Amino acid sequence: MQTPPVKDGPRTNQDIRVPRVLLIDQNGEKQGEMPTSAALEAAEEAGLDLVEIVPNANPPVCKIMDYGKFRFQEQKKKNEARKRQKVVELKEIKLRPNIDTHDYDVKAKAMHRFFEAGDKVKVTLRFRGREMAHPELGMKLLLKVKEDFDEVAKVEYEPKMEGRQMIMILAPR
């Protein structure tokens, strides 16, 4: 035995199974509480659908409207909301403990660009060979980054040593 498909969205016309409803006509005027059959007749007379707007109210609120047009408008609203939505990305900047000033400036410029775009930045400081003997140099560099970007970004993940690298995550303010 196959179950009927589950319908999403508000109930319409014959799907409304309550005995009485509060009716709002196609002009948005409140018609008052009436039997569902009378509301269905009024919708049929207008050549439109009876749509249950507020199913949890007592009695449920139903409106006379063009259901196809209503669904189209809802779809347009969803698409518009999706367009305006910004996905925050995590960009990564890789540094070395003995980075030169000009190289640091280039990386800083890129980080400013990322923050303006609204992205988070993961600063990775990689140690090689004997550099592992001086993690305080790496910490000093990451604290400099933190200080330089204090007005445009906040630290989301404090500088921390993980194996041969030190990591810090900054998020735009």
Side-chain angles (χ1 to χ4, degrees):
M1 189 170 136
Q2 191 177 10
T3 59
V6 177
K7 211 177 123 214
D8 59 329
R11 293 186 288 193
T12 58
N13 299 331
Q14 306 304 324
D15 296 336
I16 300 170
R17 300 254 184 256
V18 290
R20 297 183 70 75
V21 294
L22 180 64
L23 184 69
I24 298 172
D25 67 6
Q26 59 270 31
N27 303 324
E29 293 169 16
K30 195 176 186 180
Q31 298 298 317
E33 194 176 323
M34 61 175 62
T36 307
S37 56
L40 277 167
E41 285 172 21
E44 227 170 80
E45 247 175 53
L48 299 170
D49 301 304
L50 183 68
V51 182
E52 192 175 45
I53 303 296
V54 187
N56 299 336
N58 192 9
V61 180
C62 294
K63 188 173 182 181
I64 296 174
M65 65 169 76
D66 183 353
Y67 185 61
K69 188 175 178 183
F70 172 72
R71 285 194 48 198
F72 176 71
Q73 298 290 358
E74 289 292 307
Q75 190 65 40
K76 266 177 56 175
K77 280 183 197 171
K78 280 184 188 171
N79 289 343
E80 196 62 38
R82 197 177 300 125
K83 266 186 215 167
R84 278 191 244 112
Q85 185 176 358
K86 166 81 171 93
V87 177
V88 176
E89 289 183 42
L90 181 66
K91 304 286 189 174
E92 185 174 19
I93 293 285
K94 292 185 179 177
L95 303 174
R96 296 289 313 277
N98 55 351
I99 190 168
D100 196 37
T101 52
H102 179 263
D103 296 334
Y104 175 81
D105 294 341
V106 170
K107 301 281 187 177
K109 203 176 199 180
M111 287 170 65
H112 271 292
R113 214 174 46 244
F114 295 149
F115 289 132
E116 284 169 11
D119 296 325
K120 293 180 181 182
V121 176
K122 176 181 180 181
V123 183
T124 305
L125 189 74
R126 178 155 287 135
F127 293 96
R128 283 207 199 123
R130 293 188 189 144
E131 292 171 350
M132 283 298 293
H134 299 285
E136 68 278 356
L137 293 176
M139 185 58 83
K140 198 164 126 186
L141 181 64
L142 286 182
L143 291 175
K144 181 180 186 305
V145 170
K146 183 177 172 180
E147 192 179 296
D148 290 350
F149 289 94
D150 194 38
E151 67 278 348
V152 291
K154 62 180 180 283
V155 177
E156 206 170 76
Y157 184 82
E158 289 292 335
K160 188 174 173 187
M161 196 71 174
E162 290 183 7
R164 288 192 156 271
Q165 56 190 16
M166 203 173 270
I167 294 172
M168 174 170 72
I169 297 178
L170 300 166
R173 285 196 187 273

